[in-house]
């Protein structure tokens, strides 16, 4: 079992997300994360899905995705040169005094930004690969994470190549 | 200016639709009003499920797209079983449903159901049309999607205001549909085809395993030509019966759970399996690890997702079966030599023929063989699901493709009788017989009303054992004969038929079978035959669930 990152280009139409998500749950495939948004083409959206499975399972996932009429192209970025990022916002308990200073120091090391400050908490924004965000989350846990939001991973090929242009 | 309903009817006519099966209701009133004086013939069924099955039967018998129509809410929901049946067997139908007006969508309005949501996993595609100006394109796309590639059902949900809206019908639509996310592959990859031919040349014990894909792609002639040229025996799935004539010397009949003994032995022993238009369903493979354990596998199918889904394949060929077989027949240079293998198969066929006890009692196998002898491969046999279906699959000799109409994948009891209605309208000059059980027949018995109203000459042949026979068989074999809720009280089907104005005969004796069948076939209108068969007759051979194909019960053991 390995986590694969799939970049899926779809028609920007009502119901597309439920078609994709429904196929995963119906066939028992495990979605680790899913991120969806508009892309460079006006009538298309791009869904980035991280899915767990062995090679045969991932092949089935890709074939089943391709079978959906609203899916235009499916690419597995796992074994290709790509950059992957995720964004998280973390609300951490940080009373004025030592803990707040420590939290801010940790934020600094992770190049996270403080985007909101309250009397008893701060909100950090961090972007990076999944491991980096996991590490930051672990470090901050001792101060008390009140709320955590992650976008799910997005990915893009390195260099001039695009998912659309390559086979 | 035209209403959405008018645009819909015109769009259906443009697709060549002459018959639709449906049931009216509140939000489809505008559509029914357009139908009232249109050239399209509408067949009024007695339950929407029957409309979907009839459209499906029409599609299977004709190879064209079948159409059904129902109102919103309960009407649409009643189509669901029929749509799922068509989806599992890759049958092209277009289901049109009414929907509450767009202003009420999502409000839990009267007779509202989210039918596009409900049918998402059982349609190839579906549409909720929000503007009448989209209708022409949507209908054109729906027929294209349903009928091309791996066929399947498409649903069009039509809110009432979209049907009544007046729009300028000026949108020109191109004849060819182009969908960037849907481009089926029809032509097999030449290198893979050559690899398959190389495997054939090197094989010692090859076998063809052919299925519904051969029927859908109208490739029976190509299949038989291919088999004859390379002299390789053919076993078919339930859906593939008729792809090769049942009396062809290379035909081994059906394989799988209720396959013939020789077909199942051949699969287990073969060293090359040529899988054509099939999907390695669990009812075919039994325990998948021991299915064709010694064989290299070539898999030809139009749906890439079927290749490697259940069983690892050595040579995948994605393409239309007819196109691929055509190229294979063309490029075939030399074939292997497997006289010893053909000899072994002949010996199996002689030693382990299909058997049943013919002891003068009224046994279903005899009735089916008698019908087969009478019809000689002419006409169309429809079945319900269960023992009636398996006895027919085993004992009837199908000689042509599209002469066998049955619910395979979903196994829908109650399918046959309404499907037979659709079959008749697809091929009105041919005899249509629904072989039923008393359980299945009662699932859509109300369609006697439809058959009576239009004098549809469908013959219902009920193999009446007063049990849900197949379930009872499993209880007998695997649950210590504890017949939990499988016994049905006797029903006088002839009286029920008579109440609808339909003739019928009850048959209690083996001696009366031939004359009763002749009487039914000689009747111009519909007919009901109530055969009181041996109550605890079983379907054999049988591979218990989860066993290997060569571990059959109810057969002479080697």
């Amino acid at each position: 079992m390995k986590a694969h990152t799939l970049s899926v280009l779809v028609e920007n139409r009502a119901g597309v997300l439920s078609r994709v998500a429904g196929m995963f749950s119906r066939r028992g495939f495990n979605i680790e994360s899913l991120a969806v948004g508009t892309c460079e083409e006006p009538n298309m959206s791009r869904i980035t899905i991280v899915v767990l499975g062995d090679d045969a399972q991932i092949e089935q996932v890709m074939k089943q995705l391709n079978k959906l009429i609203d899916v235009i192209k499916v690419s597995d970025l796992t074994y290709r040169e790509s950059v992957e990022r995720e964004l998280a916002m973390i609300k951490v308990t940080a009373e004025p005094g030592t803990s707040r200073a420590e939290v801010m120091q940790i934020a600094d090391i992770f190049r996270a930004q403080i985007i909101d400050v309250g009397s008893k908490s701060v909100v950090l924004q961090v972007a990076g690969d999944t491991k980096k965000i996991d590490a930051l989350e672990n470090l901050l846990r001792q101060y008390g994470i009140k709320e955590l939001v992650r976008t799910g991973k997005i990915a893009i090929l390195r260099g001039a190549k695009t998912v659309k242009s390559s086979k | 200016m035209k209403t959405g309903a008018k645009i819909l009817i015109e769009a259906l006519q443009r697709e060549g639709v002459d018959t639709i099966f449906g049931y009216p209701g509140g939000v489809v009133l505008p559509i029914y009003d357009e139908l009232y004086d249109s050239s399209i013939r509408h067949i009024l069924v007695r339950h929407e499920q029957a409309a979907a099955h009839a459209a499906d039967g029409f599609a299977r018998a004709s190879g064209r797209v079948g159409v059904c129509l129902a109102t919103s809410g309960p009407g649409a929901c009643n189509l669901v079983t029929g749509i799922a049946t068509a989806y599992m067997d890759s049958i092209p139908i277009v289901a049109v449903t009414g929907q509450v007006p767009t202003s009420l969508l999502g409000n839990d309005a009267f007779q509202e159901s989210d039918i596009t949501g409900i049918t998402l996993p059982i349609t190839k595609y579906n549409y909720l049309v929000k503007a009448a100006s989209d209708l022409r394109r949507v209908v054109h796309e729906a027929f294209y999607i349903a009928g091309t590639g791996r066929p399947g059902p498409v649903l069009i949900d039509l809110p009432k205001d979209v049907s009544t809206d007046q729009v300028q019908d000026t949108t020109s639509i191109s004849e060819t549909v182009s969908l960037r996310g849907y481009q089926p592959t029809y032509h097999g990859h030449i290198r893979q085809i050559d690899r398959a031919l190389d495997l054939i040349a090197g094989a010692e014990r090859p076998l063809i395993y052919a299925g519904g894909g051969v029927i859908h792609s109208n490739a029976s002639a190509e299949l038989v030509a291919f088999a004859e040229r390379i002299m390789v025996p053919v076993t078919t799935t339930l859906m593939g019966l008729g792809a090769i004539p049942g009396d062809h010397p290379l035909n081994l009949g059906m394989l799988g759970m209720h396959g013939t003994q020789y077909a199942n032995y051949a699969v287990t022993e073969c060293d090359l399996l040529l899988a054509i238009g099939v999907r390695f369903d669990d009812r075919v493979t039994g325990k998948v690890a021991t299915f064709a354990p010694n064989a290299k596998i070539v898999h030809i199918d139009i749906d890439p997702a079927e290749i490697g889904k259940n069983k690892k394949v050595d040579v995948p060929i994605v393409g239309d079966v007819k196109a691929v077989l055509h190229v294979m027949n063309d490029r075939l240079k030399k074939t292997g030599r497997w006289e010893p293998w053909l000899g072994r198969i002949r010996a199996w066929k002689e030693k382990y023929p299909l058997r049943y006890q013919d002891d003068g009692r009224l046994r279903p196998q005899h009735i089916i063989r008698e019908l087969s002898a009478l019809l000689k491969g002419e006409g169309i046999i429809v079945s319900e699901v269960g023992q009636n279906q398996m006895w027919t699959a085993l004992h009837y000799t199908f000689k042509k493709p599209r002469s066998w109409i049955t619910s395979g994948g979903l196994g829908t009891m109650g399918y046959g009788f309404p499907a037979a209605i659709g079959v008749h309208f697809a091929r009105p000059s041919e005899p249509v017989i629904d072989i039923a059980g008393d359980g299945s027949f009662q699932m859509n018995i109300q369609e006697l009303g439809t058959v009576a109203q239009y004098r549809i000459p469908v013959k219902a042949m009920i193999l009446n054992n007063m049990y849900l026979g197949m379930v009872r068989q499993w209880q007998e074999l695997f649950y210590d004969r504890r017949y939990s809720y499988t016994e049905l009280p006797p029903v006088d089907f002839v009286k029920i038929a008579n109440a609808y104005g339909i003739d019928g005969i009850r048959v209690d004796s083996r001696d009366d079978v031939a004359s009763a069948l002749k009487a039914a076939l000689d009747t111009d209108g519909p007919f009901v035959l109530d055969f009181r068969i041996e109550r605890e007759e079983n379907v054999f051979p049988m591979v218990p669930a989860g066993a290997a194909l060569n571990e059959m019960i109810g057969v002479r053991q080697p």
Side-chain angles (χ1 to χ4, degrees):
Chain A
M1 296 278 270
K2 184 176 161 61
H4 284 245
T5 307
L6 307 182
S7 182
V8 187
L9 206 56
V10 300
E11 296 285 354
N12 189 2
R13 269 190 206 141
V16 171
L17 194 58
S18 53
R19 286 177 200 278
V20 170
M23 188 280 288
F24 273 84
S25 62
R26 185 162 71 252
R27 297 202 177 262
F29 303 134
N30 289 316
I31 300 182
E32 286 279 296
S33 79
L34 184 149
V36 56
T38 53
C39 64
E40 71 280 2
E41 296 284 341
N43 301 317
M44 298 184 194
S45 298
R46 176 167 281 118
I47 307 179
T48 310
I49 307 173
V50 179
V51 55
L52 268 181
D54 58 32
D55 287 351
Q57 285 167 322
I58 299 298
E59 190 188 325
Q60 254 303 300
V61 170
M62 292 181 65
K63 282 176 168 175
Q64 294 294 344
L65 278 170
N66 266 315
K67 196 167 155 175
L68 297 175
I69 288 173
D70 285 335
V71 168
I72 298 158
K73 192 168 168 73
V74 185
S75 315
D76 186 355
L77 303 184
T78 313
Y79 301 110
R80 304 176 61 182
E81 284 292 316
S82 62
V83 266
E84 307 182 333
R85 288 291 180 271
E86 195 177 349
L87 185 112
M89 293 194 283
I90 311 170
K91 188 175 288 176
V92 194
T93 307
E95 307 265 349
T98 49
S99 83
R100 176 166 296 196
E102 282 176 27
V103 166
M104 290 174 82
Q105 221 169 10
I106 292 169
D108 210 29
I109 294 163
F110 278 82
R111 293 189 199 173
Q113 290 161 279
I114 310 282
I115 54 173
D116 181 63
V117 181
S119 58
K120 292 178 179 164
S121 66
V122 295
V123 176
L124 271 63
Q125 171 194 295
V126 62
D129 61 23
T130 302
K131 274 185 196 153
K132 173 177 167 180
I133 293 170
D134 289 346
L136 178 60
E137 186 189 324
N138 281 333
L139 268 175
L140 292 175
R141 193 159 286 143
Q142 55 183 311
Y143 303 99
I145 294 177
K146 295 164 83 75
E147 214 166 27
L148 177 118
V149 194
R150 292 169 75 148
T151 56
K153 190 199 280 181
I154 55 170
I156 199 162
L157 288 177
R158 287 182 185 276
K161 269 191 192 154
T162 66
V163 154
K164 249 193 335 204
S165 68
S166 55
K167 269 290 260 185
Chain B
M1 299 287 271
K2 282 177 191 165
T3 64
K6 187 162 187 68
I7 295 172
L8 170 74
I9 299 301
E10 287 179 358
L12 291 173
Q13 286 168 326
R14 209 170 295 121
E15 301 299 329
V17 175
D18 51 26
T19 309
I20 68 180
F21 306 91
Y23 202 99
V27 295
V28 286
L29 277 164
I31 299 171
Y32 271 84
D33 195 56
E34 276 305 326
L35 272 173
Y36 188 67
D37 41 23
S38 96
S39 66
I40 294 179
R41 171 175 50 183
H42 173 278
I43 305 302
L44 175 68
V45 292
R46 294 297 176 274
H47 184 292
E48 289 89 349
Q49 184 188 351
H53 290 326
D56 168 311
F58 180 94
R60 292 188 205 228
S62 65
R64 291 156 58 200
V65 178
V67 183
C68 57
L69 169 62
T71 193
S72 64
C77 288
N78 278 341
L79 293 177
V80 166
T81 305
I83 294 171
T85 303
Y87 185 72
M88 287 292 271
D89 289 342
S90 310
I91 305 303
I93 65 171
V94 167
V96 179
T97 51
Q99 182 56 279
V100 301
T102 47
S103 57
L104 291 179
L105 273 176
N107 272 2
D108 304 317
F110 177 64
Q111 294 196 326
E112 177 180 4
S113 69
D114 172 15
I115 198 62
T116 47
I118 291 168
T119 58
L120 202 68
I122 54 164
T123 48
K124 189 170 171 187
Y125 199 63
N126 61 25
Y127 296 87
L128 170 59
V129 184
K130 294 271 184 73
S133 53
D134 289 340
L135 252 175
R136 274 180 66 179
R137 176 186 56 82
V138 164
V139 171
H140 195 43
E141 273 181 23
F143 275 77
Y144 174 73
I145 291 171
T148 56
R150 179 180 182 173
V154 176
L155 180 135
I156 302 173
D157 199 20
L158 212 55
K160 187 174 184 184
D161 55 322
V162 175
S163 293
T164 52
D165 269 357
Q166 300 261 355
V167 293
Q168 208 77 8
D169 185 29
T170 49
T171 44
S172 66
I173 51 162
S174 70
E175 279 306 303
T176 53
V177 177
S178 163
L179 297 161
R180 51 192 173 185
Y182 176 66
Q183 268 141 29
T185 306
Y186 291 98
H187 297 286
H189 197 286
I190 288 295
R191 220 173 54 220
Q192 301 288 37
I193 288 175
D194 284 343
R195 280 180 64 203
L197 293 175
D198 287 346
L199 284 180
I200 292 170
E204 285 175 11
R205 300 184 305 281
L207 178 71
I208 293 171
Y209 148 45
V214 178
I215 309 282
H216 297 331
S217 97
N218 298 313
S220 292
E222 286 79 1
L223 175 77
V224 174
F226 179 62
E228 285 175 349
R229 275 193 68 192
I230 60 177
M231 280 302 284
V232 169
V234 181
T235 178
T236 62
T237 66
L238 180 70
M239 306 311 298
L241 289 172
I244 178 167
D247 51 5
H248 194 287
L250 287 172
N251 178 45
L252 301 183
M254 187 167 74
L255 80 165
M257 179 172 274
H258 291 295
T260 63
Q261 210 169 343
Y262 35 93
N264 283 345
Y265 285 157
V267 175
T268 309
E269 299 278 314
C270 71
D271 71 347
L272 174 63
L273 188 67
L274 302 162
I276 308 178
V278 294
R279 59 185 181 90
F280 296 82
D281 176 75
D282 58 276
R283 282 297 192 267
V284 162
T285 61
K287 187 175 166 191
V288 76
T290 55
F291 180 73
N294 310 307
K296 289 244 191 288
I297 298 178
V298 175
H299 190 181
I300 306 170
D301 202 277
I302 197 153
D303 181 359
E306 285 303 341
I307 292 177
K309 186 180 84 177
N310 297 339
K311 184 92 184 162
K312 209 173 152 301
V313 164
D314 299 281
V315 179
I317 303 176
V318 176
D320 173 52
V321 165
K322 191 186 185 85
V324 171
L325 284 178
H326 187 79
V327 174
M328 286 180 89
N329 279 329
D330 259 8
R331 294 177 77 85
L332 185 73
K333 284 184 210 85
K334 56 171 187 170
T335 134
R337 298 177 58 85
W338 33 74
E339 201 33 57
W341 169 238
L342 295 176
R344 268 180 88 190
I345 288 176
R346 270 195 301 273
W348 282 330
K349 272 180 129 170
E350 271 162 37
K351 195 168 172 197
Y352 311 111
L354 268 183
R355 296 178 312 166
Y356 70 98
Q357 210 181 340
D358 195 11
D359 54 0
R361 294 175 185 231
L362 185 54
R363 303 216 183 249
Q365 299 93 331
H366 169 74
I367 301 169
I368 287 161
R369 286 177 178 226
E370 199 70 23
L371 178 70
S372 192
L374 268 174
L375 286 174
K376 300 186 180 68
E378 298 302 316
I380 306 157
I381 305 299
V382 188
S383 87
E384 303 288 342
V385 166
Q387 288 184 318
N388 61 81
Q389 179 185 36
M390 290 300 125
W391 283 321
T392 309
L394 288 170
H395 293 278
Y396 192 93
T397 306
F398 295 98
K399 297 195 176 161
K400 294 176 189 169
R402 300 191 190 276
S403 63
W404 167 234
I405 311 285
T406 197
S407 164
L410 198 68
T412 308
M413 285 175 70
Y415 166 82
F417 194 49
I421 294 172
V423 170
H424 165 72
F425 285 102
R427 286 155 65 180
S429 61
E430 295 176 58
V432 182
I433 294 96
D434 173 39
I435 298 181
D438 52 317
S440 285
F441 193 68
Q442 289 183 81
M443 276 208 181
N444 272 317
I445 195 167
Q446 79 285 346
E447 294 311 312
L448 284 166
T450 310
V451 160
Q453 181 180 351
Y454 298 95
R455 296 294 296 164
I456 299 167
V458 165
K459 321 300 177 195
M461 198 175 120
I462 305 164
L463 305 175
N464 186 351
N465 53 13
M466 290 174 256
Y467 278 119
L468 300 173
M470 186 59 93
V471 185
R472 186 210 56 75
Q473 175 172 339
W474 282 58
Q475 288 172 334
E476 176 188 334
L477 297 171
F478 311 119
Y479 291 87
D480 204 18
R481 298 183 66 97
R482 286 156 55 86
Y483 294 165
S484 182
Y485 302 100
T486 42
E487 187 163 11
L488 300 173
V491 175
D492 189 336
F493 288 108
V494 173
K495 263 192 182 160
I496 293 180
N498 291 163
Y500 280 99
I502 295 170
D503 286 338
I505 310 178
R506 170 174 161 169
V507 183
D508 293 280
S509 151
R510 186 188 187 280
D511 300 336
D512 300 332
V513 171
S515 60
L517 287 172
K518 278 198 199 88
L521 292 171
D522 288 344
T523 304
D524 286 337
F527 205 88
V528 171
L529 288 163
D530 180 2
F531 289 103
R532 300 299 174 104
I533 61 165
E534 277 301 297
R535 295 195 66 201
E536 300 199 25
E537 188 68 37
N538 285 331
V539 179
F540 289 126
M542 180 179 193
V543 178
L549 282 197
N550 58 349
E551 297 167 355
M552 282 162 282
I553 57 173
V555 295
R556 179 176 168 192
Q557 297 300 334

